[in-house]
């Protein structure tokens, strides 16, 4: 059975869309910055060598997938990446990294838009 070239092209394009679009949507959802009000920080430790933040999510479906860091005027800002898809990741998180920032006076969680929550020293 011979297919016309236009029909072959349409089938190939449809197959690519069916496979690629869900992957792109899923990848975007896995790397979404989480609103600070959706997280619970249980412990924050700051030493000259190491900064450690432990916590989890307020809901039972969110999953942790990483973080972004930035520093401005001795204030450290952390954006937690997560998703509402129960694929990979974990409900709880431990963020630990070398303190290459010197003197850190405050630590904040940043979310989308202007949402911000101070987590250290005790808010």
């Amino acid at each position: 059975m011979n297919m016309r070239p236009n029909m072959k092209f349409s089938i190939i394009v449809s197959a690519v869309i069916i496979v690629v679009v869900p992957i792109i949507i899923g990848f975007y959802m896995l790397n979404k910055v989480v609103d600070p009000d959706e997280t619970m920080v249980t412990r924050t430790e700051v030493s000259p060598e190491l900064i450690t933040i432990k916590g989890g999510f307020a809901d039972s479906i969110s999953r942790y997938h990483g973080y972004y860091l930035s520093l401005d005027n001795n204030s450290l800002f952390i954006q937690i990446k997560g998703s509402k898809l129960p694929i990979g990741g974990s409900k709880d998180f431990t963020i630990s990294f070398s303190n290459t920032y010197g003197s850190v006076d405050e630590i904040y969680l940043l979310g989308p838009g202007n949402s911000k929550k101070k987590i250290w020293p005790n808010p």
Side-chain angles (χ1 to χ4, degrees):
M1 180 159 120
N2 248 346
M3 285 195 195
R4 295 185 315 210
N6 285 343
M7 189 174 213
K8 277 185 180 179
F9 180 75
S10 296
I11 290 172
I12 291 171
V13 168
S14 298
V16 168
I17 289 172
I18 289 171
V19 171
V20 171
V21 170
I23 290 172
I24 291 171
I25 291 170
F27 184 74
Y28 171 75
M29 292 177 81
L30 290 175
N31 289 313
K32 185 177 175 189
V33 174
V34 177
D35 189 303
D37 291 334
E38 295 178 18
T39 62
M40 299 175 299
V41 174
T42 56
R43 194 165 92 200
T44 304
E45 297 175 2
V46 178
S47 74
E49 296 83 28
L50 193 66
I51 296 174
T52 303
I53 300 159
K54 294 185 178 193
F57 292 99
D59 63 17
S60 62
I61 194 167
S62 292
R63 297 291 184 256
Y64 171 76
H65 289 283
Y67 62 93
Y68 301 111
L69 292 174
S70 60
L71 182 72
D72 186 30
N73 295 327
N74 292 345
S75 292
L76 186 62
F77 298 95
I78 300 172
Q79 292 179 305
I80 295 177
K81 296 186 303 182
S83 74
K84 296 285 186 187
L85 297 175
I87 299 171
S90 63
K91 181 173 171 33
D92 299 321
F93 55 84
T94 299
I95 300 170
S96 190
F97 51 91
S98 297
N99 185 356
T100 58
Y101 304 100
S103 175
V104 174
D105 297 332
E106 300 172 310
I107 300 176
Y108 292 90
L109 291 181
L110 287 183
N114 294 325
S115 57
K116 176 169 80 169
K117 180 166 85 173
K118 184 176 180 181
I119 61 170
W120 186 86
N122 292 334

